[in-house]
Amino acid sequence: MPSAVVLGAGMVGRVMAADLAADTEITVTVVDADESSLARAEAGAIALGRAVRTVRADLSDRATVLRMTASADVVLGALSSRIAFRALEALVEAGRKVADIAFMTEDALALSSRAAESGAVCVVDIGVAPGLSHVLAAHGIARLATCHDVDMQVGGLPVVRRWPYEYKAGFAPSDVLEEYVRPVRVVEDGRIVTKRALSGRELVDVPGVGTLEAFLTDGLRSLAVTHGPDSGPNAVRSMREKTLRYPGHAELMSVLRDSGFFGEEPVVLPDGTRVRPLDLTSRLLFPQWEYRDGEEDLTVLRVMVSGTNALGEATLEQFEMTDRFDRTTASTSMSRTTAFPATAVARMLLDGAFSKPGVHPPEVIGKDPLLVARMLDHLDVRGVEVRHSTRALPVG
Amino acid sequence: MPSAVVLGAGMVGRVMAADLAADTEITVTVVDADESSLARAEAGAIALGRAVRTVRADLSDRATVLRMTASADVVLGALSSRIAFRALEALVEAGRKVADIAFMTEDALALSSRAAESGAVCVVDIGVAPGLSHVLAAHGIARLATCHDVDMQVGGLPVVRRWPYEYKAGFAPSDVLEEYVRPVRVVEDGRIVTKRALSGRELVDVPGVGTLEAFLTDGLRSLAVTHGPDSGPNAVRSMREKTLRYPGHAELMSVLRDSGFFGEEPVVLPDGTRVRPLDLTSRLLFPQWEYRDGEEDLTVLRVMVSGTNALGEATLEQFEMTDRFDRTTASTSMSRTTAFPATAVARMLLDGAFSKPGVHPPEVIGKDPLLVARMLDHLDVRGVEVRHSTRALPVG
């Protein structure tokens, strides 16, 4: 009987564990340093009539990571971005099969040659965005003869909008503010160009949700490599990723950022106190940005890929997902849409549908139509629907 | 030859000194603790072909205040609100004639009985608002048989509007933020009611300036006493003061305030640092809110007084002033419109046109049509025009 080990019992890890445990063929172990997170993982599985084993351990320790995963047929990574890379590095050297959703700052793909040596098969960045976003973008690109433009838009939002920010953070709020500050890499006219975060604002109508605003954030990640200017003759000439929020949020964030409230350099106050503005801002905003238990969220993902089809006709491949909080399991849309692409890949790793050694970005799934179909089925069964349309574009 | 002493050589004190020195009958002395402010006062007068004497002295010291004003026929107070009350108290006890523009938090009118004993004749709050605003309100009330409503709106603004705040502070920016936090006293239906600052927003079209927004601030001050619920049978049933800004400013200030950035209680950061949010906010915003040398401002004052005239007809008395930076003297509109009501009163004190012992609010001028006419002439000669209209109001 195959065994899966989930590293991290946070919001996403818990959903992964319960999802895998639904398969009576798989034994599931969840590992975390925090007892209460483990208890919630266990309770969550039991509530669904499933069973998971929980182990308390400090996964910032390399030896512990190896010990905990020694007999795992597949490992799911759902660790904090702080410690995720070190854990992945250990798993790569030990030749494990891994599906990982951590938003690491380090370059996980640089571990690929070591994985090729050890036989490790790893897919990283395989949450919702990056993750499903990149699977769909690569799928759209593969369906076209020539691709000119990739436009990805994604946002996790509270259903109930409260003044002034109309926002809650579905993941670490410090990562959210970081996204509003970090310079944004986009591909324009065949070159990597840097833009300011929160710029390039546009309004977008999303059926059932209403009008949102989209603005640039640094979310291209692996796409800038796999389909960027240096990717060969089929490089895509323009690509960007945008974040979706309720209208007005970006303006407020710009005001705070440009007034200095996100500053990381300490400023000196009249009484001599030194303070990093970002620390105070985080202290004031984050409690207001926390989801309360049972507070409902939604996730919107839109991927628009355009180019020409095999007949030379201008064509748009469009993928749209609007997912909502699951009242049955009281789990957030953000945790579900992040966990399910990874549990889909975990099953592909278990049954050998995907078995190429290396550390791969999500595009590796996206370029194989059979794996894409399997992933979309996997999501659909879990209530996450991705609508796909292919449309002729007006010429000129 | 009469002598005037100006306490404080800040932006307003300097304009007062130069204005009084234009009268060859008056010798003018300016006192301040800061050498460079004194130098600017001297240079400003010389540039206009006038002469002022400057004395460096610490006016937070009571004995110094008395020594500096010992031979003054009239004293003009333009001190920081921090030290203004103590200076006024000394002047009251010494029986001086005073016109004061400081925005004190203490109740200066409470010194009135001591002034009556010593023979001191003082008019306080006699800048633009409070000041001219209250003169005009009282004048409008006096012109009606019965007054129902007083609406005062005032704002000092930069001519050039820059994102995001479209604001510069014509006086101490800490006093500006204080105005956005302090609960607002308004008179509604014959009772004093407390409202939130920045509330009660409305758009206002000002000819030559454009659309501004008006919102409640705590600017009624003495009017809540002189014409408030306890003022007798002629009490006005509703009165409010609003601040004028370019549209959008109040929303941003509300966001900052309600997010906690104006908080005066220290918060503890993860590293143990204790910081008052207001201190950091001031540190970040105030440099952006400073007028640069030569940067032009404008001041808008609107006072609408409505009720019934002697014939029982519904009537509106409206006063409007839009004043602009003076390029000839390179002095701001805010400093000129604040200084001139005080220099007008100084002359009334010198020639005995107003001689009643006590500490008086500006309404004392406003209720005497001859003094109002003299003040408006005084302003008009200096290029500050107040337009007055009397209109019948639609009935019902």
Side-chain angles (χ1 to χ4, degrees), chain A residues 165 177 253 256-257 260-263 275-289, chain B residues 259 261 267 269 275 280 284:
Chain A
Y165 304 106
L177 289 193
M253 292 299 110
L256 288 178
R257 182 189 64 186
F261 288 103
F262 297 168
V275 57
R276 289 171 76 235
L278 182 62
D279 289 342
L280 177 69
T281 301
S282 305
R283 170 71 183 67
L284 294 176
L285 295 189
F286 294 173
Q288 305 174 40
W289 284 8
Chain B
S259 295
F261 287 103
V267 300
L269 304 184
V275 58
L280 177 69
L284 295 176

Side-chain angles (χ1 to χ4, degrees), chain B residues 23-58:
Chain B
D23 187 334
T24 50
E25 293 297 303
I26 306 177
T27 63
V28 180
T29 305
V30 196
V31 190
D32 198 294
D34 180 58
E35 197 71 67
S36 73
S37 297
L38 289 171
R40 288 186 72 165
E42 198 164 17
I46 289 171
L48 299 170
R50 302 163 192 177
V52 297
R53 212 179 127 230
T54 61
V55 180
R56 182 157 177 240
D58 175 8

Side-chain angles (χ1 to χ4, degrees), chain A residues 202-375:
Chain A
E202 60 183 306
L203 294 176
V204 171
D205 274 315
V206 178
V209 176
T211 302
L212 301 180
E213 70 183 359
F215 51 83
L216 290 172
T217 42
D218 191 43
L220 277 188
R221 289 178 71 93
S222 55
L223 265 184
V225 176
T226 57
H227 297 275
D230 297 329
S231 65
N234 292 323
V236 180
R237 291 191 67 75
S238 64
M239 297 195 282
R240 74 209 64 82
E241 189 261 6
K242 290 187 171 184
T243 289
L244 295 168
R245 297 284 183 261
Y246 294 117
H249 182 83
E251 176 71 5
L252 289 183
M253 292 299 110
S254 295
V255 170
L256 288 178
R257 182 189 64 186
D258 293 357
S259 296
F261 288 103
F262 297 168
E264 301 192 47
E265 288 303 310
V267 299
V268 182
L269 303 184
D271 67 357
T273 308
R274 290 169 62 86
V275 57
R276 289 171 76 235
L278 182 62
D279 289 342
L280 177 69
T281 301
S282 305
R283 170 71 183 67
L284 294 176
L285 295 189
F286 294 173
Q288 305 174 40
W289 284 8
E290 258 172 37
Y291 279 99
R292 310 282 168 240
D293 264 348
E295 188 171 356
E296 302 196 355
D297 70 328
L298 57 87
T299 310
V300 176
L301 172 66
R302 290 154 49 93
V303 178
M304 280 81 66
V305 181
S306 52
T308 51
N309 65 12
L311 302 173
E313 299 162 334
T315 303
L316 169 69
E317 300 284 347
Q318 180 157 343
F319 304 90
E320 291 180 279
M321 178 199 84
T322 299
D323 183 68
R324 292 175 177 275
F325 184 85
D326 182 357
R327 294 182 184 177
T328 317
T329 60
S331 51
T332 64
S333 167
M334 181 54 71
S335 62
R336 288 158 41 81
T337 56
T338 303
F340 297 154
T343 58
V345 167
R347 284 177 170 81
M348 297 173 196
L349 294 171
L350 279 177
D351 66 19
F354 184 76
S355 61
K356 187 179 171 194
V359 176
H360 306 283
E363 294 91 307
V364 81
I365 306 295
K367 70 184 183 188
D368 182 336
L370 291 177
L371 296 183
V372 173
R374 191 167 158 188
M375 175 168 285

Side-chain angles (χ1 to χ4, degrees), chain A residues 33-46:
Chain A
D34 180 59
E35 196 71 67
S36 73
S37 296
L38 289 171
R40 290 188 70 166
E42 197 164 17
I46 289 171

Side-chain angles (χ1 to χ4, degrees), chain B residues 1 56 95 97 101 105 132 219-220 252-253 255 274 289 326 335 338 349 368:
Chain B
M1 192 154 132
R56 182 157 177 240
K97 295 175 180 173
I101 61 98
T105 50
L132 182 56
L220 277 189
L252 290 184
M253 292 299 110
V255 169
R274 290 169 63 86
W289 284 7
D326 181 358
S335 62
T338 303
L349 294 171
D368 181 336

Side-chain angles (χ1 to χ4, degrees), chain B residues 362-377:
Chain B
E363 294 90 309
V364 78
I365 307 295
K367 70 184 183 188
D368 181 336
L370 291 178
L371 296 183
V372 173
R374 191 168 157 187
M375 175 169 285
L376 295 181
D377 277 351

